[in-house]
Amino acid sequence: MASEQKRVAMTGNEAVANGMRQINPDVVAAYPITPQTDIVQFYSSFAADGLVHTEMVTVESEHSAMSATIGASAAGARAMTATSSQGLALMWEMLHIASGYRLPIVMPVVNRALSSPINIHCDHSDTMGALTTGWIHIYSESAQEAYDNLIQAIRIAEHPDVLLPVMVCQDGFITSHGIEIVFLLPDEVVKEFVGEYKPHTSVLDVENPIAVGPLQLQDYYTETKAQEAEAMARAKKVILEVAEEYEKISGRKYGLFEEYKMDDAERVIVVLNSTAGTTKAVVDELRAKGEKVGLLKPRVLRPFPADELVEALSSAKAVAVMDRAETFSTRGGQLFTEIRAAFYESHKRPLMRNYIFGLGGRDTTTREIHRVFKDLDADLERGQVDKLVTHLDVRE
Amino acid sequence: MANLKELSSVPEVLASGHRMCAGCGAPIVVRQVLRGAKAPVVVANATGCLEVSTTIYPYTSWNSPFIHTAFECAAASLSGVEAAYNSLKRQGKITEEIKFVAFGGDGGTYDIGLQSLSGAVERGHNMVYVCYDNGAYMNTGIQRSSATPKGAETTTTPVGKTQPGKTERRKDLTKIMIAHDIPYVAQVAPSHWNDLYKKSEKAFSVEGPAFINALAPCPRGWRYDAEDTIEMCRLAVDTCFWPLYEAEYGKITVTYKPRNKKPVTEFLKAQGRFRHLFSPDNEHILEEIQAEVDRQWEELLALERLGLESQEQQE
Ligand SMILES: Cc1ncc(C[n+]2csc(CCOP(=O)(O)OP(=O)(O)O)c2C)c(N)n1
Ligand code: SF4
Ligand SMILES: [Mg+2]
């Protein structure tokens, strides 16, 4: 039975801060950066009002935020931080250390473009660059999803088959600062869902001393990394199990990705986060005219659900994968490259092209989405894509 | 005043069998400092010689819990451990008294880790940070740091036709830490073990952050024989190149004043890294170094007097 939920108007940041309040981590170490700052501010006031038992560590940089979170997590605390953009970039060294030490840290990330040029608005260049850091990546279309994903992330990260850090991403400003209707679970329900954290080791256990972070050379490093990859593979099943349990308390369904009007869809757009909402509106409009269009919105990018994506997309005839970040490979964005590679073994390969869009917060409206569906239509007529990679909405 | 017999009966936290070079000053510093802890410790370590040589998987030389994360963030990582301790203690999940100590080399402390150290002590974490200062990035092959003394040859300040080793003065980190106005700052050398022990006891007993800067000679980088490590320390102290002093909430006390202050050349000539300074062309550099040591020593004594005067005025 889904629990009685509070219907509130909130920004994505406020929803996430409230999720954190309900999780009530032992330690939060964080540093401000637009557009994540609100999360830290809201949370600081929860701590100042004694609503949480969290020890706040107001560090002097994001590098230290992640270092302190790692220290706290290694000490057996449930530890969290949050960041965006340059902050995530500054953490980069420590992201690998958090995952390498198999610490179940959960971090909300509010997606923002990376410098340069300096820009404070949304794109995904920050977290796309962190796909190889050993973190589980979960993406959110709305404030509701950011909240739901955050709560589920605790259970995923701390699952004994996983023990990997998780970043929960939402779009800067669009989601983080836009006010939406959000359903908050009751505090006790979240408390019970996440449960008490029982770490299997701790550097505070002075009776059973452990050494965290020793040197591993040619003789052991490979095994450590292979085990990490195995844990990432196991995470897929855990993510689905946790989603199923979460559905029971919330009534909201989550998978590895969302399929919107995909049943008989011939032309499909694949896109992350808030732009999926815009795309849904266009899909509805075109469906009303009898056009067979659909949307696939990935939720989990690490582990990458390659087989499931191929299965879901193989009945489409033309697919546009939209990436909100450059890779500068000149062969397309990260999402495109990975989805296209997943089709290598498949006999049913739809036409597939890539759009790089929405960089530095460039507004992507229904007009651009209409254009993408139109391009796919022309491709189908032609029997091939006319361009592999297109920068959408670029002034000449 | 502790005696050697008592001190040698304190259980060792850093076991023998680690892979530091023979004669390395760093493990001596660690063992002496940890005698002052008087409670179980959690040790954090910055990347560097000490870390890579004491925790080679699947072995560890540490009898205490140990955490290494990266090069520049031992203080930040330990601040997270200490925050976890406070949180879990407040929740009644932990009851025992635990002390927190970080060890970082001069590179990991004066240079790349200065920001995270400064942040951690400003936040007031209850921990002791110990810099083992061997005056260069030894682990990566003796490159200069901001702790490298003027005139020293390192692999990035080689003695060449136009350059006589390092041309810049060393950074005075101990003073920088005193400027943070924290409960306790001390400068120590393992030759003066009783002075070091007393300072370590104080550092561990204050409420809030404490910083210890420990001279830790490196026979490889300084180019002297392994058995002379303690002699190097003695020369550094007796020439006032490395004064022994402490600051309690900024109030400075010089804990050792050599009866006969030796010329700094006594310290310099004992080490291969300064050999080139003794060629006639470089005499002016020796004079400059001596003048700087003299000025800094006089300044330190003046700061001590200033502290005493203001105390008298208050009384
Ligand atoms: C971010 C980063 N930069 C550079 C290094 C390479 N590195 C490892 S140890 C070290 C030097 C350590 O010097 P110091 O802190 O003085 O310790 P020592 O080796 O002298 O004991 C360097 C440059 C690193 N590990 N991480
Ligand atoms: S190189 Fe120097 S600092 Fe490093 S272990 Fe050897 S003696 Fe010690
Ligand atoms: Mg050094």
mmCIF file of all heavy atoms in Angstrom, chain B residues 19-27 49-50 53 132 134 138-139 142 216-221, ligand 2:
data_model
loop_
_atom_site.group_PDB
_atom_site.id
_atom_site.type_symbol
_atom_site.label_atom_id
_atom_site.label_comp_id
_atom_site.label_asym_id
_atom_site.label_seq_id
_atom_site.Cartn_x
_atom_site.Cartn_y
_atom_site.Cartn_z
ATOM 1 N N ARG B 19 59.003 -0.350 4.816
ATOM 2 C CA ARG B 19 60.035 -0.264 3.771
ATOM 3 C C ARG B 19 60.641 1.113 3.605
ATOM 4 O O ARG B 19 61.126 1.458 2.539
ATOM 5 C CB ARG B 19 59.446 -0.725 2.441
ATOM 6 C CG ARG B 19 58.634 -1.987 2.553
ATOM 7 C CD ARG B 19 59.190 -3.102 1.715
ATOM 8 N NE ARG B 19 58.230 -4.201 1.725
ATOM 9 C CZ ARG B 19 57.636 -4.687 0.633
ATOM 10 N NH1 ARG B 19 57.910 -4.172 -0.540
ATOM 11 N NH2 ARG B 19 56.793 -5.683 0.726
ATOM 12 N N MET B 20 60.567 1.952 4.671
ATOM 13 C CA MET B 20 61.275 3.227 4.585
ATOM 14 C C MET B 20 62.782 2.923 4.528
ATOM 15 O O MET B 20 63.238 1.905 5.038
ATOM 16 C CB MET B 20 61.006 4.106 5.812
ATOM 17 C CG MET B 20 59.549 4.309 6.185
ATOM 18 S SD MET B 20 58.611 5.368 5.102
ATOM 19 C CE MET B 20 59.210 6.997 5.502
ATOM 20 N N CYS B 21 63.572 3.829 3.941
ATOM 21 C CA CYS B 21 65.019 3.631 3.872
ATOM 22 C C CYS B 21 65.608 3.574 5.281
ATOM 23 O O CYS B 21 65.081 4.191 6.209
ATOM 24 C CB CYS B 21 65.713 4.804 3.176
ATOM 25 S SG CYS B 21 65.124 5.149 1.539
ATOM 26 N N ALA B 22 66.739 2.891 5.406
ATOM 27 C CA ALA B 22 67.478 2.914 6.667
ATOM 28 C C ALA B 22 67.828 4.366 6.976
ATOM 29 O O ALA B 22 68.227 5.107 6.082
ATOM 30 C CB ALA B 22 68.736 2.079 6.544
ATOM 31 N N GLY B 23 67.636 4.768 8.194
ATOM 32 C CA GLY B 23 68.017 6.117 8.605
ATOM 33 C C GLY B 23 66.985 7.175 8.293
ATOM 34 O O GLY B 23 67.188 8.357 8.579
ATOM 35 N N CYS B 24 65.862 6.798 7.734
ATOM 36 C CA CYS B 24 64.840 7.800 7.398
ATOM 37 C C CYS B 24 64.297 8.457 8.665
ATOM 38 O O CYS B 24 63.976 7.776 9.645
ATOM 39 C CB CYS B 24 63.698 7.127 6.639
ATOM 40 S SG CYS B 24 62.386 8.293 6.232
ATOM 41 N N GLY B 25 64.169 9.757 8.641
ATOM 42 C CA GLY B 25 63.677 10.476 9.822
ATOM 43 C C GLY B 25 62.180 10.320 10.051
ATOM 44 O O GLY B 25 61.706 10.435 11.188
ATOM 45 N N ALA B 26 61.430 10.058 8.996
ATOM 46 C CA ALA B 26 59.965 10.073 9.110
ATOM 47 C C ALA B 26 59.406 9.059 10.116
ATOM 48 O O ALA B 26 58.614 9.428 10.983
ATOM 49 C CB ALA B 26 59.337 9.895 7.729
ATOM 50 N N PRO B 27 59.792 7.772 10.027
ATOM 51 C CA PRO B 27 59.215 6.827 11.000
ATOM 52 C C PRO B 27 59.641 7.125 12.436
ATOM 53 O O PRO B 27 58.904 6.808 13.375
ATOM 54 C CB PRO B 27 59.720 5.458 10.532
ATOM 55 C CG PRO B 27 60.834 5.724 9.589
ATOM 56 C CD PRO B 27 60.623 7.086 9.028
ATOM 57 N N CYS B 49 56.387 9.288 0.854
ATOM 58 C CA CYS B 49 57.250 8.166 1.246
ATOM 59 C C CYS B 49 56.650 7.336 2.371
ATOM 60 O O CYS B 49 56.630 6.108 2.303
ATOM 61 C CB CYS B 49 58.604 8.699 1.709
ATOM 62 S SG CYS B 49 59.788 8.877 0.363
ATOM 63 N N LEU B 50 56.151 8.013 3.422
ATOM 64 C CA LEU B 50 55.645 7.282 4.589
ATOM 65 C C LEU B 50 54.499 6.357 4.191
ATOM 66 O O LEU B 50 54.453 5.191 4.580
ATOM 67 C CB LEU B 50 55.177 8.288 5.656
ATOM 68 C CG LEU B 50 54.613 7.684 6.946
ATOM 69 C CD1 LEU B 50 55.684 6.925 7.716
ATOM 70 C CD2 LEU B 50 54.001 8.775 7.828
ATOM 71 N N SER B 53 55.403 3.356 1.809
ATOM 72 C CA SER B 53 56.323 2.369 2.380
ATOM 73 C C SER B 53 55.749 1.626 3.574
ATOM 74 O O SER B 53 56.358 0.676 4.059
ATOM 75 C CB SER B 53 57.617 3.056 2.818
ATOM 76 O OG SER B 53 58.115 3.858 1.795
ATOM 77 N N TYR B 132 55.908 15.857 8.529
ATOM 78 C CA TYR B 132 57.299 15.382 8.625
ATOM 79 C C TYR B 132 58.044 16.036 7.472
ATOM 80 O O TYR B 132 57.800 15.756 6.312
ATOM 81 C CB TYR B 132 57.389 13.847 8.648
ATOM 82 C CG TYR B 132 56.982 13.146 7.386
ATOM 83 C CD1 TYR B 132 57.936 12.774 6.429
ATOM 84 C CD2 TYR B 132 55.657 12.839 7.134
ATOM 85 C CE1 TYR B 132 57.572 12.123 5.262
ATOM 86 C CE2 TYR B 132 55.273 12.191 5.962
ATOM 87 C CZ TYR B 132 56.232 11.844 5.032
ATOM 88 O OH TYR B 132 55.861 11.206 3.865
ATOM 89 N N ASN B 134 60.976 16.761 5.297
ATOM 90 C CA ASN B 134 62.303 16.359 4.817
ATOM 91 C C ASN B 134 62.766 17.279 3.682
ATOM 92 O O ASN B 134 63.711 16.994 2.973
ATOM 93 C CB ASN B 134 62.328 14.883 4.410
ATOM 94 C CG ASN B 134 61.198 14.541 3.448
ATOM 95 O OD1 ASN B 134 60.767 15.392 2.665
ATOM 96 N ND2 ASN B 134 60.727 13.312 3.486
ATOM 97 N N MET B 138 60.342 13.649 -1.739
ATOM 98 C CA MET B 138 61.294 12.540 -1.788
ATOM 99 C C MET B 138 60.732 11.356 -2.565
ATOM 100 O O MET B 138 61.438 10.697 -3.323
ATOM 101 C CB MET B 138 61.671 12.127 -0.362
ATOM 102 C CG MET B 138 62.391 13.218 0.410
ATOM 103 S SD MET B 138 63.792 13.886 -0.536
ATOM 104 C CE MET B 138 64.371 15.164 0.575
ATOM 105 N N ASN B 139 59.453 11.098 -2.365
ATOM 106 C CA ASN B 139 58.843 9.910 -2.954
ATOM 107 C C ASN B 139 58.917 9.899 -4.476
ATOM 108 O O ASN B 139 59.019 8.850 -5.098
ATOM 109 C CB ASN B 139 57.388 9.828 -2.493
ATOM 110 C CG ASN B 139 56.708 8.567 -2.962
ATOM 111 O OD1 ASN B 139 57.253 7.486 -2.818
ATOM 112 N ND2 ASN B 139 55.543 8.708 -3.541
ATOM 113 N N ILE B 142 63.048 13.404 -5.089
ATOM 114 C CA ILE B 142 63.789 14.570 -4.591
ATOM 115 C C ILE B 142 63.586 15.826 -5.443
ATOM 116 O O ILE B 142 64.537 16.436 -5.942
ATOM 117 C CB ILE B 142 65.304 14.266 -4.427
ATOM 118 C CG1 ILE B 142 65.519 12.839 -3.903
ATOM 119 C CG2 ILE B 142 65.967 15.281 -3.499
ATOM 120 C CD1 ILE B 142 66.958 12.379 -3.900
ATOM 121 N N ALA B 216 62.521 15.943 9.629
ATOM 122 C CA ALA B 216 62.636 14.508 9.360
ATOM 123 C C ALA B 216 63.678 14.270 8.275
ATOM 124 O O ALA B 216 63.351 14.079 7.106
ATOM 125 C CB ALA B 216 61.284 13.946 8.929
ATOM 126 N N PRO B 217 64.949 14.298 8.658
ATOM 127 C CA PRO B 217 66.003 14.196 7.643
ATOM 128 C C PRO B 217 65.884 12.947 6.778
ATOM 129 O O PRO B 217 65.414 11.908 7.226
ATOM 130 C CB PRO B 217 67.284 14.140 8.486
ATOM 131 C CG PRO B 217 66.926 14.785 9.776
ATOM 132 C CD PRO B 217 65.480 14.448 10.017
ATOM 133 N N CYS B 218 66.304 13.124 5.526
ATOM 134 C CA CYS B 218 66.223 12.048 4.530
ATOM 135 C C CYS B 218 67.629 11.800 4.001
ATOM 136 O O CYS B 218 68.181 12.635 3.278
ATOM 137 C CB CYS B 218 65.308 12.499 3.394
ATOM 138 S SG CYS B 218 65.484 11.579 1.858
ATOM 139 N N PRO B 219 68.235 10.681 4.375
ATOM 140 C CA PRO B 219 69.625 10.443 3.952
ATOM 141 C C PRO B 219 69.802 10.447 2.432
ATOM 142 O O PRO B 219 70.838 10.888 1.939
ATOM 143 C CB PRO B 219 69.961 9.063 4.542
ATOM 144 C CG PRO B 219 68.749 8.561 5.242
ATOM 145 C CD PRO B 219 67.713 9.646 5.268
ATOM 146 N N ARG B 220 68.792 10.019 1.703
ATOM 147 C CA ARG B 220 68.926 9.979 0.239
ATOM 148 C C ARG B 220 68.893 11.384 -0.349
ATOM 149 O O ARG B 220 69.726 11.748 -1.164
ATOM 150 C CB ARG B 220 67.792 9.156 -0.375
ATOM 151 C CG ARG B 220 68.043 7.671 -0.325
ATOM 152 C CD ARG B 220 67.046 6.956 -1.219
ATOM 153 N NE ARG B 220 67.201 7.331 -2.607
ATOM 154 C CZ ARG B 220 66.217 7.774 -3.390
ATOM 155 N NH1 ARG B 220 64.998 7.904 -2.913
ATOM 156 N NH2 ARG B 220 66.443 8.082 -4.640
ATOM 157 N N GLY B 221 67.924 12.152 0.078
ATOM 158 C CA GLY B 221 67.745 13.474 -0.508
ATOM 159 C C GLY B 221 68.756 14.498 -0.002
ATOM 160 O O GLY B 221 69.115 15.431 -0.726
HETATM 161 S S1 SF4 C 2 63.697 8.624 0.336
HETATM 162 FE FE1 SF4 C 2 64.116 9.786 2.182
HETATM 163 S S2 SF4 C 2 62.117 10.263 3.047
HETATM 164 FE FE2 SF4 C 2 61.826 8.607 1.572
HETATM 165 S S3 SF4 C 2 61.966 6.729 2.788
HETATM 166 FE FE3 SF4 C 2 63.993 7.137 1.979
HETATM 167 S S4 SF4 C 2 64.988 8.313 3.594
HETATM 168 FE FE4 SF4 C 2 62.801 8.389 4.003
#
